Amino acid sequence: MDQPKRSSAGKSSPNPERLPGMTAISTHVTAEGQQMANSAIQPILPGFYPDPTICRAGQDYYLSTSSFEYFPGAPIFHSTDLVNWTQTGHILDRRSQFRLGNPLPSTGIYGSTLREHDGIFWFVTTNVSDFGAGQVLVHATDAAGPWSEPVFIGGAIGIDPDLCWDDNGDCYLSWKAMNFTEGEIGILQARLDTGTGMLRDVPYPIWQGSGMDAVEAPHLYHIDDFWYLLLAEGGTERGHCVTAARSMHPSGPFEPCPSNPVFTHRSSIHPVQNVGHADLVQTPDGGWAAVYLGVRPKGSTPGFHVLGRETFLAGIDWVDGWPVFDEGRFHVPTADTAFSDDFSAPHLNPRWVVPAGEPENVIQRNPNGGMTLLPMPDGSPGMLCTRVTDLRWTATATIEGQGSFLLRMDDRYSYGVTVRSDVVQAWARIGGLTFDLGSCPADATTTAHIESVPANSPTVPLGHGGPDDVLLSVVQETGTVQLGRLDGRHLSTEVASGFTGRMLALEGAETSGSILSVNYTPQI
Ligand code: 6LW
């Protein structure tokens, strides 16, 4: 008897055509040759783009996500159809807006809210590296920037701030109050002076959710006669949910939706898990949609997600005055994620970010092409990163002199190829332990190669395969020399923990070295 191909939960592989409560999951190619996939399984922002927040101004949609310790922070994207998105830059692109603070991995920019009100764009977030400063509020007349200097809301300590306005023009700030001494306090609200950041009320509790753990991500919407409050509950792992309540006033009292949670994949065989942290947006024709975070676990139980939490899109229907998620409503183009970069363009592509540093302080462009990575403020080698956006991919970095090309979750979980004066060394850092793998002589210019391939270990019950294998190689004139093959599970959130996802990283060397170019290609 053929063993059934096991999914991460040890069940038989989900047949997309039979996923409960879902429209048929399908992929197709348009007349123009564009590969499309169903929105239930294809993220609109693949790669680590969690905690999405969305707004609309006329025919234009704008979307931002959390970004943690990576600077610039809060990437911002533009679309006119909800499915094709272009990054226009970052909202927090100055250190005066995104203070360095204590930039530990997975601190920095957490969940946020992006809104347009009376022609002004507003963005409020938490910089957890600077937690005591309270919420960070900036505004702009153009969502592509420049954004204002920040106003700090010191009276609102916690995470996941939300903004909404009533018909009198009063602005309401709602947030998940918490601190490092009392822990979780609850969902609080107060009216806000957006000019000064001062709260106009003593903060008061509003709806605390349906009783699950980790109540967060409040978002308020004034829709017809009701004020709707959406929350995330259950924690951003497999139990994640979206819950809803409504009131005749932004401050409540709130009536919970009788069918809470209104959206979850917990305990399902759905290939997208951890769904939650949703934000609603009304379309120009009066319809509604939602963006939310989800993960795509692969490999044997418990399932390993390696791209972090990604942004997905759903349609929203209103039934008996409550939101109903239709996750299969849209067809999403499988994003063209391939890129090549020789760092010769006048402006660095917004895909490049630096953990606990700034690109302009780390990069020194070379007159004859390529760039040198200068040391970070703490003296560590300069590092430039970009999100991995595919489950299978191949990438190369051409290094003149010395330097490193690596795949990282953070500074404790990464695999890499380091070029020193006379040797190329592959290595793995797992939980802070570093292992040297294969090596070979170095040329004057070395092309390091990292690739995600199917795991060669079987899955349950014949084995407990990881999400993929990662190959570390060097491309030489005589061919590609493989220096290491590693189980990809160690570069997954289930192992490494944290809120970010896999990043491809370029790292400088103690002595001279240049990165001449980087190439990234998704693989089917
Ligand atoms: C985000 C909050 C959360 O602000 O994690 O697990 C934080 N839930 O909603 C970072 O993603």
Side-chain angles (χ1 to χ4, degrees), residues 170-485:
D170 285 342
C171 179
Y172 290 80
L173 177 78
S174 308
W175 71 100
K176 174 184 180 167
M178 56 179 283
N179 58 47
F180 298 144
T181 51
E182 300 169 76
E184 305 208 354
I185 296 167
I187 306 295
L188 300 186
Q189 185 183 89
R191 286 175 299 168
L192 173 70
D193 179 330
T194 55
T196 64
M198 298 303 291
L199 300 181
R200 296 170 54 203
D201 303 304
V202 173
Y204 48 84
I206 54 175
W207 187 53
Q208 300 306 315
S210 64
M212 289 186 262
D213 179 27
V215 183
E216 47 208 13
H219 285 309
L220 260 173
Y221 312 90
H222 195 186
I223 304 172
D224 300 334
D225 297 332
F226 284 112
W227 288 84
Y228 286 88
L229 175 62
L230 240 55
L231 295 178
E233 292 191 64
T236 197
E237 298 78 21
R238 298 290 188 268
H240 214 191
C241 300
V242 178
T243 56
R246 68 187 182 192
S247 170
M248 302 305 287
H249 190 279
S251 301
F254 286 94
E255 164 204 6
C257 176
S259 58
N260 273 331
V262 293
F263 184 47
T264 185
H265 284 176
R266 65 185 178 186
S267 305
S268 76
I269 60 169
H270 198 291
V272 177
Q273 287 289 314
N274 300 28
V275 298
H277 202 116
D279 196 11
L280 305 183
V281 67
Q282 187 168 28
T283 56
D285 63 1
W288 286 84
V291 290
Y292 62 93
L293 73 79
V295 303
R296 295 185 280 172
K298 299 295 180 187
S300 299
T301 184
F304 304 93
H305 73 276
V306 300
L307 299 182
R309 295 162 298 159
E310 306 174 276
T311 288
F312 290 79
L313 173 70
I316 292 288
D317 293 319
W318 294 92
V319 177
D320 300 332
W322 294 106
V324 175
F325 281 65
D326 174 5
E327 56 197 290
R329 177 172 298 174
F330 298 92
H331 285 284
V332 179
T334 52
D336 178 11
T337 58
F339 72 86
S340 292
D341 202 334
D342 63 4
F343 305 100
S344 60
H347 300 290
L348 192 66
N349 187 290
R351 71 167 68 90
W352 296 109
V353 291
V354 175
E358 303 79 26
E360 65 269 17
N361 294 331
V362 163
I363 293 174
Q364 177 180 285
R365 292 175 191 272
N366 300 336
N368 55 354
M371 51 99 183
T372 297
L373 289 170
L374 304 175
M376 302 280 268
D378 64 4
S380 59
M383 183 182 284
L384 193 65
C385 304
T386 187
R387 291 165 173 81
V388 175
T389 51
D390 300 274
L391 295 170
R392 295 283 179 274
W393 49 272
T394 184
T396 61
T398 301
I399 301 170
E400 185 179 69
Q402 305 188 47
S404 297
F405 185 39
L406 45 137
L407 179 64
R408 76 187 309 260
M409 291 294 281
D410 58 30
D411 51 11
R412 299 178 68 245
Y413 288 88
S414 54
Y415 299 159
V417 177
T418 293
V419 184
R420 298 193 183 91
S421 52
D422 57 354
V423 68
V424 183
Q425 179 68 58
W427 50 266
R429 189 170 303 129
I430 299 171
L433 299 174
T434 299
F435 309 88
D436 280 347
L437 305 170
S439 62
C440 68
D443 298 326
T445 299
T446 299
T447 297
H449 181 201
I450 303 178
E451 184 174 10
S452 166
V453 298
N456 68 7
S457 51
T459 58
V460 171
L462 303 179
H464 294 80
D468 61 354
D469 282 356
V470 177
L471 307 185
L472 304 176
S473 308
V474 170
V475 180
Q476 296 186 336
E477 287 176 10
T478 53
T480 298
V481 177
Q482 184 175 308
L483 302 178
R485 181 177 182 127

Side-chain angles (χ1 to χ4, degrees), residues 59-72:
Q59 300 296 319
D60 296 298
Y61 297 96
Y62 300 94
L63 192 158
S64 185
T65 72
S66 49
S67 52
F68 305 97
E69 73 269 26
Y70 292 95
F71 182 93

